[in-house]
Amino acid sequence: MSPTPAAPNPEKPVSLKLLIPRNDAALATVASLVAGTWATETWFTLRWLKPADFAALAASFAATLTDKRAAAATRSPQTQRLQELDDELDEALRVLKAYVLEAANYDKAAANAQLPGFGLVPRSGKGKSYELSRDRDERLAALRDFLLPAVAKAPFAGRDRGTAFWQPRATEYAALLHQADGLAGQVTQAVSQKDDTKAAIRQALQAIVYGLRANYPDTYEAEWRAWGFRKVSY
């Protein structure tokens, strides 16, 4: 007896995860392609969304991606310089604490008792070691409200790591932190706008996928490709 032929495998449904990418750049590309096709395929309609409105969504989404990248790129130099300043300030604190110790006649307990007056806080897990806060907002407040006034009154104010060192760096730190915070807000706003637009685009693309399959029961995969759903590309 010849073996019974195996039954053909049922058609596997195409996953929307393949047709509608989650990657922002890929989604923007698909949305743009679909918008261009829909503008010419006037027979296809959705009762709740017009082709021109979808094209506007696609353009808005692409623009928010550009805005986000631009804000993030602008932010990078400020962030890098802030890190450089943090390193400079941390290194200078070693000299500052040596000045305080010298002024206290090398009485370490007396010197440590003065350090909080310079805006320094105990370093976690480091015993009696003191440092500026790692939080940048708190660090700036410590520089402005404690360290600068304390250095100005200290006997070492005119020395190498005295006022002439700390004042310009504190001023620059404040300016950079303000810029970085503003740019961070721009990035957050761009991300929020992008996410809202992205959800609307994905909803529309899903409806278009189902609509094309309903209208082309035998050739819907070719139609998907023609409209811009190029699942093999992402």
Side-chain angles (χ1 to χ4, degrees):
M1 292 179 62
S2 60
T4 303
N9 290 328
E11 179 185 0
K12 292 183 178 179
V14 177
S15 171
L16 289 180
K17 291 181 180 179
L18 295 177
L19 288 174
I20 305 174
R22 293 196 173 276
N23 174 270
D24 290 344
L27 183 64
T29 298
V30 171
S32 178
L33 291 171
V34 172
T37 304
W38 196 3
T40 62
E41 298 287 348
T42 55
W43 63 269
F44 187 89
T45 60
L46 294 175
R47 296 188 64 177
W48 53 276
L49 184 64
K50 296 180 180 179
D53 293 332
F54 180 75
L57 275 176
S60 175
F61 184 66
T64 58
L65 294 184
T66 300
D67 291 344
K68 178 188 174 184
R69 285 193 292 266
T74 303
R75 186 184 178 189
S76 295
Q78 279 85 0
T79 303
Q80 180 177 349
R81 180 54 184 156
L82 276 170
Q83 184 58 59
E84 291 172 355
L85 279 174
D86 279 330
D87 293 341
E88 288 182 26
L89 299 179
D90 290 341
E91 182 63 27
L93 280 179
R94 296 172 57 189
V95 179
L96 176 66
K97 287 188 283 188
Y99 287 166
V100 174
L101 182 61
E102 180 183 342
N105 294 318
Y106 300 96
D107 183 334
K108 192 169 184 178
N112 284 344
Q114 295 181 44
L115 294 180
F118 287 82
L120 307 188
V121 294
R123 184 182 301 176
S124 177
K126 296 292 183 178
K128 293 295 184 179
S129 181
Y130 287 81
E131 65 179 1
L132 286 168
S133 172
R134 309 313 298 175
D135 179 272
R136 282 178 169 156
D137 290 323
E138 293 179 1
R139 172 169 284 215
L140 176 60
L143 287 169
R144 181 186 60 232
D145 300 336
F146 293 94
L147 192 144
L148 287 176
V151 169
K153 296 176 183 178
F156 49 81
R159 296 179 67 175
D160 184 56
R161 289 297 184 268
T163 298
F165 174 87
W166 291 98
Q167 182 65 68
R169 284 164 177 79
T171 300
E172 183 183 6
Y173 200 87
L176 287 171
L177 191 60
H178 177 73
Q179 292 175 29
D181 287 345
L183 290 166
Q186 292 178 30
V187 173
T188 300
Q189 183 178 8
V191 169
S192 177
Q193 182 180 354
K194 173 186 71 69
D195 289 345
D196 291 343
T197 308
K198 181 176 182 177
I201 286 176
R202 290 184 61 83
Q203 182 183 41
L205 291 178
Q206 180 173 310
I208 293 169
V209 165
Y210 288 137
L212 290 174
R213 181 162 187 168
N215 280 279
Y216 295 95
D218 297 321
T219 59
Y220 58 86
E221 288 193 347
E223 290 298 321
W224 285 342
R225 287 191 293 271
W227 274 63
F229 294 99
R230 299 172 181 175
K231 60 179 180 177
V232 297
S233 300
Y234 44 82

